[in-house]
Amino acid sequence: MPVVVVAQPKGGVGKSTLATQIAGYWAHCGHAVLLGDSDRQQSASGWLAQRPASLPAIGRWELQPDFLTRPPAGASHVVIDTPAGAHGWRLGDLLRSADKLIVPLQPGRFDMAATHGFLAELRQQRGARQVAIGLVGMRVNPRTLAAAALQDFVAATGLPLLAGLRSTQTYVRLAEQGRSLFDEPPGRVAADVAQWQGLLQWLDA
């Protein structure tokens, strides 16, 4: 059972967006998906509460902020959204549960500095040695100097940049409706789905 954890110590970088979209993708593929939300803000849980019953079902994994338990029986795929500032033993618990870890980051000095420190902590976590780690650029405009700096930063980490997702109101609308890109008519979201292809291949590998 693949377990994907979305984590970043800095708030507001799009962790819940990624977690909900991944859950929506796997549900669209016909998997029995659980979405766990260990963030006290419960953004992913709020998205799930708005999800129309007519769409592929996604189960909710009730998580306590301070500890993880085994996922309920019956799930084939699990996605976990995490709080800002997860570190230490809490981060260790997440890593022991994960098969893959996705770290979102935005172009900009503060985001890259926070990510640099987080990746350094990951290297000290014994559980991270068995986890595949990938980076996802959020709100990326490839024509800017900030995007070029992001590419240089990622290259220095030695980790794969799985996707660079543009800034668009589409994700805001989908968050309010409990929907994912993969629930939408393909022609309406083709440009955004195209940006996900590398990430989806990594998830399914």
Side-chain angles (χ1 to χ4, degrees):
M1 176 178 62
V3 177
V4 169
V5 171
V6 183
Q8 229 283 13
K10 191 172 182 297
V13 296
K15 293 188 294 292
S16 296
T17 295
L18 281 178
T20 54
Q21 295 297 307
I22 292 168
Y25 165 69
W26 272 340
H28 173 77
C29 293
H31 300 304
V33 183
L34 282 179
L35 178 59
D37 190 351
S38 63
D39 189 349
R40 287 179 171 84
Q41 295 183 357
Q42 295 289 287
S43 298
S45 295
W47 174 87
L48 193 56
Q50 298 299 318
R51 188 165 176 80
S54 59
L55 297 179
I58 298 170
R60 180 180 177 183
W61 182 13
E62 299 283 353
L63 291 176
Q64 298 297 323
D66 291 334
F67 66 91
L68 293 178
T69 58
R70 291 184 180 276
S76 65
H77 293 64
V78 175
V79 185
I80 301 176
D81 189 19
T82 64
H87 60 87
W89 63 266
R90 291 182 177 87
L91 179 60
D93 277 355
L94 290 166
L95 291 172
R96 282 189 290 273
S97 301
D99 298 296
K100 296 184 177 183
L101 175 69
I102 296 176
V103 181
L105 71 158
Q106 298 180 78
R109 181 180 301 274
F110 297 135
D111 288 84
M112 289 187 287
T115 303
H116 177 78
F118 183 57
L119 295 178
E121 182 177 0
L122 285 177
R123 286 191 285 271
Q124 301 301 316
Q125 289 277 354
R126 295 177 62 184
R129 300 171 188 171
Q130 306 301 321
V131 179
I133 302 173
L135 306 179
V136 175
M138 306 294 290
R139 306 182 183 100
V140 176
N141 182 342
R143 295 171 291 183
T144 63
L145 292 175
L150 178 66
Q151 290 280 358
D152 292 341
F153 171 81
V154 171
T157 69
L159 296 171
L161 181 63
L162 305 174
L165 307 182
R166 65 176 182 157
S167 178
T168 171
Q169 288 298 301
T170 298
Y171 292 112
V172 176
R173 174 178 60 82
L174 294 173
E176 294 172 348
Q177 298 174 352
R179 305 174 70 90
S180 75
L181 290 173
F182 311 97
D183 300 313
E184 300 296 280
R188 184 182 300 173
V189 293
D192 292 300
V193 170
Q195 295 183 328
W196 276 76
Q197 293 311 302
L199 172 53
L200 299 182
Q201 291 172 12
W202 184 83
L203 286 170
D204 290 337

